[in-house]
Amino acid sequence: MTRTAQRAGDRPEPPEPLPHPVVDNHCHLDIGAHDGPGEPVPVLDALARSAAVGVPRIVQIGCDLPGARWAVETAREHPAIVAGVALHPNEAPRLDADGRLDAAWAEIAELATDPRVRAVGETGLDNFRTGADGREAQVRSFRRHIELAHELDKTLVIHDRDAHAEVLEVLDEVGPPPRWVMHCFSGDAAFAERCLERGAHLSFAGTVTFKNAEPLREALRVTPLDRILVETDAPFLTPEPWRGRPNASYLIPTTVRAMATTRGTDLLELCRAIEANTDRAFGGAWGA
C-alpha cells in the first residue's frame, strides 16, 4: 500500500465549519509527490474539502528543489494557493556535503521571483535533526534566505526546532524583513514576546491542542490578536483528537476552536483576525 493510500484511508471526518474564513498559511500538499512512492494530494480535492469548512485559501510550502518547483506550478494553476519556496534547514547540510548548496540556492532565488510566490521559507535552524557538523551550512543558508526576503520584499517563514536563541541571533545580525512568520511556533510565552518585539507573526498549529503543550498555550495567550496565524503543516501535526493521523487543511477548524477557547476569544472575532493577519503577513489577499 502506498503512503497516499494509507493517508486517504485514515482521513478524519470534517469538523463543523468556521463562522468566517481563515487561511492555512503553511501546508505541504506535495508530500509523496517526489520522494518515493505515492502521489501528491489531489489539489482540487484538498481545496474543496477545506473550503467547505471555512478554509478557502492555502500557502503551499516547498522545502527542497522538487517541492519548490511543485509549489510554484501549483500556485500558478490554482488562484486559492500561493507558494513559499526555500531550502529546509535540514536540506542545506545535505546539499552542502555534495557541493550542491550554492546551485540549489540560486534556483530557489530564481523561483522566488515568481509573482505567485509570497514567501521565502521555510528556512531557519534545526538542532533536532541536524548535528553540529551541519550547523555552519544551516546558518549560511538561513542568512541567504533572510537576505533574499529583503531583496524581493517577500515574507520570511522561519522553521525553528530546538534553536530559539540561535534563530534570533542570526535574525538580529542580518535584520528581520518587514514581514516574517514563526512557522509552527514552539516556544513559551517569554520567547513569544522576544519574537513579537521584532515584529513577528506567530503561527500556531495542531500542537497547541496537545495535552503536554501548556507552555505553548501560554504563548498564545500573550500574543496580540493582530499577530496570530494558524496552520496545519499538513500532513503533520494533526490536532487532537486525531493526533497521529494524517493532517489536512480541512482540519483547521479544530485548531482554531481550541485557540479561541485557550484565549477566551470569541470564535468569530478570532477567525476575522486570522484572515486579516494572514493577508497582512503575506503581502495582501489572493484568491479566485
Side-chain angles (χ1 to χ4, degrees), residues 189-230:
F191 183 61
E193 290 172 344
R194 295 182 68 194
C195 295
L196 292 164
E197 289 169 358
R198 292 162 170 80
H201 282 81
L202 305 186
S203 181
F204 294 87
T207 44
V208 78
T209 71
F210 295 177
K211 293 179 181 179
N212 63 350
E214 188 54 34
L216 181 57
R217 286 186 283 274
E218 287 295 333
L220 174 61
R221 293 185 186 105
V222 304
T223 303
L225 189 61
D226 65 354
R227 301 284 196 90
I228 295 172
L229 306 178
V230 70

mmCIF file of all heavy atoms in Angstrom, residues 189-230:
data_model
loop_
_atom_site.group_PDB
_atom_site.id
_atom_site.type_symbol
_atom_site.label_atom_id
_atom_site.label_comp_id
_atom_site.label_asym_id
_atom_site.label_seq_id
_atom_site.Cartn_x
_atom_site.Cartn_y
_atom_site.Cartn_z
ATOM 1 N N ALA A 189 5.907 31.601 26.522
ATOM 2 C CA ALA A 189 5.455 32.994 26.489
ATOM 3 C C ALA A 189 6.629 33.970 26.404
ATOM 4 O O ALA A 189 6.559 34.973 25.690
ATOM 5 C CB ALA A 189 4.605 33.292 27.723
ATOM 6 N N ALA A 190 7.719 33.664 27.111
ATOM 7 C CA ALA A 190 8.876 34.567 27.087
ATOM 8 C C ALA A 190 9.490 34.640 25.694
ATOM 9 O O ALA A 190 9.852 35.732 25.222
ATOM 10 C CB ALA A 190 9.916 34.101 28.104
ATOM 11 N N PHE A 191 9.597 33.492 25.020
ATOM 12 C CA PHE A 191 10.152 33.505 23.670
ATOM 13 C C PHE A 191 9.185 34.177 22.701
ATOM 14 O O PHE A 191 9.612 34.892 21.779
ATOM 15 C CB PHE A 191 10.467 32.083 23.213
ATOM 16 C CG PHE A 191 11.110 32.017 21.856
ATOM 17 C CD1 PHE A 191 12.324 32.630 21.617
ATOM 18 C CD2 PHE A 191 10.491 31.349 20.805
ATOM 19 C CE1 PHE A 191 12.923 32.588 20.364
ATOM 20 C CE2 PHE A 191 11.074 31.285 19.555
ATOM 21 C CZ PHE A 191 12.297 31.911 19.332
ATOM 22 N N ALA A 192 7.891 33.979 22.900
ATOM 23 C CA ALA A 192 6.902 34.656 22.058
ATOM 24 C C ALA A 192 7.094 36.165 22.125
ATOM 25 O O ALA A 192 7.076 36.862 21.101
ATOM 26 C CB ALA A 192 5.492 34.276 22.499
ATOM 27 N N GLU A 193 7.299 36.684 23.326
ATOM 28 C CA GLU A 193 7.463 38.126 23.472
ATOM 29 C C GLU A 193 8.722 38.621 22.778
ATOM 30 O O GLU A 193 8.740 39.716 22.194
ATOM 31 C CB GLU A 193 7.466 38.481 24.956
ATOM 32 C CG GLU A 193 6.081 38.308 25.589
ATOM 33 C CD GLU A 193 6.087 38.472 27.089
ATOM 34 O OE1 GLU A 193 7.192 38.411 27.692
ATOM 35 O OE2 GLU A 193 4.997 38.652 27.667
ATOM 36 N N ARG A 194 9.798 37.814 22.795
ATOM 37 C CA ARG A 194 11.030 38.204 22.105
ATOM 38 C C ARG A 194 10.806 38.272 20.592
ATOM 39 O O ARG A 194 11.316 39.171 19.920
ATOM 40 C CB ARG A 194 12.152 37.225 22.435
ATOM 41 C CG ARG A 194 12.581 37.227 23.888
ATOM 42 C CD ARG A 194 13.725 36.256 24.123
ATOM 43 N NE ARG A 194 14.943 36.703 23.463
ATOM 44 C CZ ARG A 194 16.009 35.938 23.271
ATOM 45 N NH1 ARG A 194 15.981 34.668 23.661
ATOM 46 N NH2 ARG A 194 17.085 36.420 22.677
ATOM 47 N N CYS A 195 10.043 37.334 20.071
ATOM 48 C CA CYS A 195 9.728 37.351 18.633
ATOM 49 C C CYS A 195 8.816 38.523 18.282
ATOM 50 O O CYS A 195 9.024 39.215 17.278
ATOM 51 C CB CYS A 195 9.063 36.034 18.230
ATOM 52 S SG CYS A 195 10.117 34.571 18.371
ATOM 53 N N LEU A 196 7.810 38.741 19.112
ATOM 54 C CA LEU A 196 6.864 39.821 18.856
ATOM 55 C C LEU A 196 7.547 41.178 18.879
ATOM 56 O O LEU A 196 7.207 42.071 18.092
ATOM 57 C CB LEU A 196 5.729 39.763 19.885
ATOM 58 C CG LEU A 196 4.805 38.545 19.764
ATOM 59 C CD1 LEU A 196 3.986 38.374 21.036
ATOM 60 C CD2 LEU A 196 3.898 38.658 18.555
ATOM 61 N N GLU A 197 8.523 41.352 19.767
ATOM 62 C CA GLU A 197 9.267 42.607 19.823
ATOM 63 C C GLU A 197 9.965 42.906 18.501
ATOM 64 O O GLU A 197 10.205 44.068 18.170
ATOM 65 C CB GLU A 197 10.324 42.538 20.939
ATOM 66 C CG GLU A 197 9.755 42.573 22.340
ATOM 67 C CD GLU A 197 10.807 42.229 23.388
ATOM 68 O OE1 GLU A 197 11.971 41.931 22.996
ATOM 69 O OE2 GLU A 197 10.474 42.255 24.586
ATOM 70 N N ARG A 198 10.293 41.863 17.769
ATOM 71 C CA ARG A 198 10.997 42.011 16.492
ATOM 72 C C ARG A 198 10.042 42.052 15.310
ATOM 73 O O ARG A 198 10.474 42.034 14.160
ATOM 74 C CB ARG A 198 12.003 40.867 16.333
ATOM 75 C CG ARG A 198 13.163 40.939 17.332
ATOM 76 C CD ARG A 198 13.879 39.597 17.433
ATOM 77 N NE ARG A 198 15.113 39.686 18.195
ATOM 78 C CZ ARG A 198 15.185 39.691 19.532
ATOM 79 N NH1 ARG A 198 14.067 39.607 20.254
ATOM 80 N NH2 ARG A 198 16.356 39.767 20.143
ATOM 81 N N GLY A 199 8.741 42.069 15.576
ATOM 82 C CA GLY A 199 7.758 42.239 14.513
ATOM 83 C C GLY A 199 7.158 40.971 13.954
ATOM 84 O O GLY A 199 6.495 41.007 12.904
ATOM 85 N N ALA A 200 7.342 39.831 14.612
ATOM 86 C CA ALA A 200 6.885 38.553 14.069
ATOM 87 C C ALA A 200 5.375 38.396 14.133
ATOM 88 O O ALA A 200 4.703 38.938 15.013
ATOM 89 C CB ALA A 200 7.533 37.396 14.820
ATOM 90 N N HIS A 201 4.858 37.620 13.194
ATOM 91 C CA HIS A 201 3.565 36.963 13.339
ATOM 92 C C HIS A 201 3.849 35.546 13.816
ATOM 93 O O HIS A 201 4.772 34.895 13.314
ATOM 94 C CB HIS A 201 2.808 36.921 12.012
ATOM 95 C CG HIS A 201 2.162 38.213 11.641
ATOM 96 N ND1 HIS A 201 2.848 39.252 11.049
ATOM 97 C CD2 HIS A 201 0.876 38.643 11.775
ATOM 98 C CE1 HIS A 201 2.016 40.268 10.826
ATOM 99 N NE2 HIS A 201 0.816 39.923 11.255
ATOM 100 N N LEU A 202 3.062 35.065 14.765
ATOM 101 C CA LEU A 202 3.252 33.728 15.309
ATOM 102 C C LEU A 202 2.164 32.812 14.762
ATOM 103 O O LEU A 202 0.969 33.103 14.900
ATOM 104 C CB LEU A 202 3.209 33.743 16.832
ATOM 105 C CG LEU A 202 4.185 34.712 17.516
ATOM 106 C CD1 LEU A 202 4.148 34.511 19.033
ATOM 107 C CD2 LEU A 202 5.601 34.559 16.980
ATOM 108 N N SER A 203 2.594 31.716 14.151
ATOM 109 C CA SER A 203 1.663 30.778 13.540
ATOM 110 C C SER A 203 1.542 29.535 14.420
ATOM 111 O O SER A 203 2.534 28.877 14.720
ATOM 112 C CB SER A 203 2.154 30.388 12.146
ATOM 113 O OG SER A 203 1.253 29.490 11.537
ATOM 114 N N PHE A 204 0.309 29.214 14.796
ATOM 115 C CA PHE A 204 0.048 28.091 15.688
ATOM 116 C C PHE A 204 -0.546 26.930 14.898
ATOM 117 O O PHE A 204 -1.421 27.123 14.054
ATOM 118 C CB PHE A 204 -0.875 28.516 16.824
ATOM 119 C CG PHE A 204 -0.242 29.531 17.738
ATOM 120 C CD1 PHE A 204 -0.321 30.890 17.451
ATOM 121 C CD2 PHE A 204 0.460 29.127 18.855
ATOM 122 C CE1 PHE A 204 0.280 31.829 18.274
ATOM 123 C CE2 PHE A 204 1.067 30.059 19.692
ATOM 124 C CZ PHE A 204 0.977 31.410 19.396
ATOM 125 N N ALA A 205 -0.065 25.730 15.212
ATOM 126 C CA ALA A 205 -0.500 24.514 14.529
ATOM 127 C C ALA A 205 -1.260 23.611 15.495
ATOM 128 O O ALA A 205 -1.575 24.007 16.621
ATOM 129 C CB ALA A 205 0.719 23.792 13.950
ATOM 130 N N GLY A 206 -1.524 22.378 15.053
ATOM 131 C CA GLY A 206 -2.260 21.436 15.882
ATOM 132 C C GLY A 206 -1.600 21.135 17.208
ATOM 133 O O GLY A 206 -2.259 20.644 18.131
ATOM 134 N N THR A 207 -0.308 21.426 17.327
ATOM 135 C CA THR A 207 0.399 21.198 18.587
ATOM 136 C C THR A 207 -0.215 21.967 19.747
ATOM 137 O O THR A 207 -0.076 21.552 20.905
ATOM 138 C CB THR A 207 1.877 21.603 18.447
ATOM 139 O OG1 THR A 207 1.961 22.854 17.753
ATOM 140 C CG2 THR A 207 2.658 20.568 17.652
ATOM 141 N N VAL A 208 -0.896 23.063 19.470
ATOM 142 C CA VAL A 208 -1.488 23.851 20.550
ATOM 143 C C VAL A 208 -2.603 23.073 21.248
ATOM 144 O O VAL A 208 -3.001 23.422 22.372
ATOM 145 C CB VAL A 208 -1.997 25.203 19.999
ATOM 146 C CG1 VAL A 208 -3.326 25.041 19.265
ATOM 147 C CG2 VAL A 208 -2.102 26.245 21.103
ATOM 148 N N THR A 209 -3.102 22.001 20.624
ATOM 149 C CA THR A 209 -4.160 21.180 21.237
ATOM 150 C C THR A 209 -3.606 20.025 22.063
ATOM 151 O O THR A 209 -4.371 19.350 22.746
ATOM 152 C CB THR A 209 -5.092 20.585 20.159
ATOM 153 O OG1 THR A 209 -4.397 19.553 19.423
ATOM 154 C CG2 THR A 209 -5.585 21.649 19.197
ATOM 155 N N PHE A 210 -2.294 19.777 21.998
ATOM 156 C CA PHE A 210 -1.723 18.613 22.679
ATOM 157 C C PHE A 210 -1.764 18.812 24.198
ATOM 158 O O PHE A 210 -1.561 19.923 24.704
ATOM 159 C CB PHE A 210 -0.281 18.378 22.235
ATOM 160 C CG PHE A 210 -0.111 17.997 20.783
ATOM 161 C CD1 PHE A 210 1.156 17.822 20.256
ATOM 162 C CD2 PHE A 210 -1.199 17.820 19.947
ATOM 163 C CE1 PHE A 210 1.331 17.478 18.927
ATOM 164 C CE2 PHE A 210 -1.046 17.473 18.609
ATOM 165 C CZ PHE A 210 0.231 17.302 18.101
ATOM 166 N N LYS A 211 -1.959 17.729 24.925
ATOM 167 C CA LYS A 211 -2.098 17.811 26.384
ATOM 168 C C LYS A 211 -0.855 18.362 27.063
ATOM 169 O O LYS A 211 -0.951 19.035 28.094
ATOM 170 C CB LYS A 211 -2.445 16.427 26.945
ATOM 171 C CG LYS A 211 -3.823 15.927 26.527
ATOM 172 C CD LYS A 211 -4.101 14.541 27.085
ATOM 173 C CE LYS A 211 -5.477 14.047 26.644
ATOM 174 N NZ LYS A 211 -5.757 12.671 27.155
ATOM 175 N N ASN A 212 0.313 18.084 26.486
ATOM 176 C CA ASN A 212 1.565 18.499 27.125
ATOM 177 C C ASN A 212 2.043 19.864 26.646
ATOM 178 O O ASN A 212 3.204 20.217 26.858
ATOM 179 C CB ASN A 212 2.655 17.458 26.869
ATOM 180 C CG ASN A 212 2.983 17.311 25.381
ATOM 181 O OD1 ASN A 212 2.276 17.842 24.536
ATOM 182 N ND2 ASN A 212 4.050 16.593 25.079
ATOM 183 N N ALA A 213 1.163 20.647 26.019
ATOM 184 C CA ALA A 213 1.578 21.895 25.370
ATOM 185 C C ALA A 213 1.142 23.142 26.128
ATOM 186 O O ALA A 213 0.909 24.186 25.515
ATOM 187 C CB ALA A 213 1.037 21.940 23.940
ATOM 188 N N GLU A 214 1.066 23.094 27.443
ATOM 189 C CA GLU A 214 0.625 24.264 28.193
ATOM 190 C C GLU A 214 1.542 25.471 27.996
ATOM 191 O O GLU A 214 1.048 26.601 27.868
ATOM 192 C CB GLU A 214 0.488 23.946 29.680
ATOM 193 C CG GLU A 214 -0.142 25.065 30.506
ATOM 194 C CD GLU A 214 -1.489 25.532 29.974
ATOM 195 O OE1 GLU A 214 -2.253 24.701 29.427
ATOM 196 O OE2 GLU A 214 -1.783 26.743 30.096
ATOM 197 N N PRO A 215 2.886 25.310 27.943
ATOM 198 C CA PRO A 215 3.717 26.492 27.660
ATOM 199 C C PRO A 215 3.381 27.135 26.316
ATOM 200 O O PRO A 215 3.430 28.371 26.182
ATOM 201 C CB PRO A 215 5.138 25.925 27.678
ATOM 202 C CG PRO A 215 5.065 24.725 28.574
ATOM 203 C CD PRO A 215 3.716 24.133 28.292
ATOM 204 N N LEU A 216 3.017 26.331 25.326
ATOM 205 C CA LEU A 216 2.630 26.872 24.030
ATOM 206 C C LEU A 216 1.312 27.626 24.130
ATOM 207 O O LEU A 216 1.138 28.692 23.525
ATOM 208 C CB LEU A 216 2.525 25.726 23.015
ATOM 209 C CG LEU A 216 2.149 26.094 21.582
ATOM 210 C CD1 LEU A 216 3.115 27.104 20.999
ATOM 211 C CD2 LEU A 216 2.096 24.826 20.724
ATOM 212 N N ARG A 217 0.390 27.099 24.925
ATOM 213 C CA ARG A 217 -0.878 27.808 25.109
ATOM 214 C C ARG A 217 -0.662 29.139 25.849
ATOM 215 O O ARG A 217 -1.350 30.125 25.575
ATOM 216 C CB ARG A 217 -1.879 26.908 25.841
ATOM 217 C CG ARG A 217 -2.427 25.804 24.941
ATOM 218 C CD ARG A 217 -3.529 24.995 25.607
ATOM 219 N NE ARG A 217 -3.012 24.042 26.577
ATOM 220 C CZ ARG A 217 -2.582 22.810 26.268
ATOM 221 N NH1 ARG A 217 -2.603 22.397 25.015
ATOM 222 N NH2 ARG A 217 -2.145 21.998 27.203
ATOM 223 N N GLU A 218 0.291 29.167 26.767
ATOM 224 C CA GLU A 218 0.626 30.433 27.425
ATOM 225 C C GLU A 218 1.172 31.433 26.404
ATOM 226 O O GLU A 218 0.877 32.634 26.475
ATOM 227 C CB GLU A 218 1.643 30.197 28.535
ATOM 228 C CG GLU A 218 1.070 29.522 29.773
ATOM 229 C CD GLU A 218 0.033 30.383 30.479
ATOM 230 O OE1 GLU A 218 0.092 31.625 30.365
ATOM 231 O OE2 GLU A 218 -0.868 29.811 31.132
ATOM 232 N N ALA A 219 1.972 30.940 25.462
ATOM 233 C CA ALA A 219 2.470 31.813 24.400
ATOM 234 C C ALA A 219 1.318 32.371 23.576
ATOM 235 O O ALA A 219 1.318 33.559 23.201
ATOM 236 C CB ALA A 219 3.442 31.048 23.508
ATOM 237 N N LEU A 220 0.341 31.544 23.267
ATOM 238 C CA LEU A 220 -0.825 32.005 22.513
ATOM 239 C C LEU A 220 -1.574 33.084 23.283
ATOM 240 O O LEU A 220 -2.028 34.077 22.705
ATOM 241 C CB LEU A 220 -1.746 30.818 22.222
ATOM 242 C CG LEU A 220 -3.085 31.131 21.558
ATOM 243 C CD1 LEU A 220 -2.888 31.789 20.201
ATOM 244 C CD2 LEU A 220 -3.913 29.848 21.411
ATOM 245 N N ARG A 221 -1.676 32.932 24.590
ATOM 246 C CA ARG A 221 -2.416 33.904 25.402
ATOM 247 C C ARG A 221 -1.747 35.275 25.415
ATOM 248 O O ARG A 221 -2.438 36.300 25.511
ATOM 249 C CB ARG A 221 -2.565 33.376 26.837
ATOM 250 C CG ARG A 221 -3.461 32.151 26.958
ATOM 251 C CD ARG A 221 -3.670 31.745 28.416
ATOM 252 N NE ARG A 221 -4.415 30.496 28.509
ATOM 253 C CZ ARG A 221 -3.888 29.314 28.812
ATOM 254 N NH1 ARG A 221 -2.576 29.222 29.072
ATOM 255 N NH2 ARG A 221 -4.629 28.237 28.854
ATOM 256 N N VAL A 222 -0.411 35.310 25.322
ATOM 257 C CA VAL A 222 0.269 36.615 25.370
ATOM 258 C C VAL A 222 0.437 37.240 23.988
ATOM 259 O O VAL A 222 0.893 38.384 23.878
ATOM 260 C CB VAL A 222 1.661 36.507 26.056
ATOM 261 C CG1 VAL A 222 1.526 35.915 27.445
ATOM 262 C CG2 VAL A 222 2.651 35.735 25.206
ATOM 263 N N THR A 223 0.070 36.517 22.943
ATOM 264 C CA THR A 223 0.209 37.041 21.582
ATOM 265 C C THR A 223 -0.962 37.961 21.252
ATOM 266 O O THR A 223 -2.114 37.552 21.376
ATOM 267 C CB THR A 223 0.266 35.896 20.564
ATOM 268 O OG1 THR A 223 1.338 35.010 20.893
ATOM 269 C CG2 THR A 223 0.479 36.425 19.159
ATOM 270 N N PRO A 224 -0.690 39.190 20.841
ATOM 271 C CA PRO A 224 -1.790 40.091 20.476
ATOM 272 C C PRO A 224 -2.651 39.500 19.362
ATOM 273 O O PRO A 224 -2.156 38.765 18.497
ATOM 274 C CB PRO A 224 -1.069 41.357 20.011
ATOM 275 C CG PRO A 224 0.271 41.298 20.664
ATOM 276 C CD PRO A 224 0.620 39.852 20.726
ATOM 277 N N LEU A 225 -3.909 39.849 19.375
ATOM 278 C CA LEU A 225 -4.843 39.292 18.401
ATOM 279 C C LEU A 225 -4.419 39.576 16.973
ATOM 280 O O LEU A 225 -4.665 38.761 16.069
ATOM 281 C CB LEU A 225 -6.245 39.859 18.663
ATOM 282 C CG LEU A 225 -7.405 39.245 17.881
ATOM 283 C CD1 LEU A 225 -7.559 37.758 18.194
ATOM 284 C CD2 LEU A 225 -8.707 39.988 18.196
ATOM 285 N N ASP A 226 -3.737 40.693 16.739
ATOM 286 C CA ASP A 226 -3.361 41.063 15.372
ATOM 287 C C ASP A 226 -2.040 40.440 14.918
ATOM 288 O O ASP A 226 -1.539 40.775 13.852
ATOM 289 C CB ASP A 226 -3.311 42.576 15.209
ATOM 290 C CG ASP A 226 -2.229 43.240 16.051
ATOM 291 O OD1 ASP A 226 -1.570 42.549 16.854
ATOM 292 O OD2 ASP A 226 -2.046 44.472 15.909
ATOM 293 N N ARG A 227 -1.477 39.499 15.700
ATOM 294 C CA ARG A 227 -0.246 38.816 15.298
ATOM 295 C C ARG A 227 -0.434 37.301 15.188
ATOM 296 O O ARG A 227 0.536 36.570 15.013
ATOM 297 C CB ARG A 227 0.862 39.089 16.304
ATOM 298 C CG ARG A 227 1.213 40.531 16.490
ATOM 299 C CD ARG A 227 2.035 41.112 15.355
ATOM 300 N NE ARG A 227 2.621 42.368 15.814
ATOM 301 C CZ ARG A 227 3.790 42.467 16.410
ATOM 302 N NH1 ARG A 227 4.538 41.394 16.583
ATOM 303 N NH2 ARG A 227 4.229 43.632 16.826
ATOM 304 N N ILE A 228 -1.651 36.810 15.299
ATOM 305 C CA ILE A 228 -1.909 35.370 15.350
ATOM 306 C C ILE A 228 -2.244 34.826 13.967
ATOM 307 O O ILE A 228 -3.095 35.373 13.257
ATOM 308 C CB ILE A 228 -3.068 35.058 16.318
ATOM 309 C CG1 ILE A 228 -2.686 35.427 17.755
ATOM 310 C CG2 ILE A 228 -3.462 33.580 16.248
ATOM 311 C CD1 ILE A 228 -3.849 35.313 18.715
ATOM 312 N N LEU A 229 -1.595 33.727 13.595
ATOM 313 C CA LEU A 229 -1.902 32.976 12.384
ATOM 314 C C LEU A 229 -2.178 31.531 12.771
ATOM 315 O O LEU A 229 -1.876 31.095 13.886
ATOM 316 C CB LEU A 229 -0.730 33.025 11.402
ATOM 317 C CG LEU A 229 -0.184 34.388 10.999
ATOM 318 C CD1 LEU A 229 1.006 34.212 10.059
ATOM 319 C CD2 LEU A 229 -1.252 35.236 10.360
ATOM 320 N N VAL A 230 -2.738 30.770 11.814
ATOM 321 C CA VAL A 230 -2.990 29.356 12.044
ATOM 322 C C VAL A 230 -2.520 28.556 10.837
ATOM 323 O O VAL A 230 -2.548 29.040 9.706
ATOM 324 C CB VAL A 230 -4.485 29.088 12.341
ATOM 325 C CG1 VAL A 230 -5.356 29.298 11.101
ATOM 326 C CG2 VAL A 230 -4.690 27.689 12.909
#
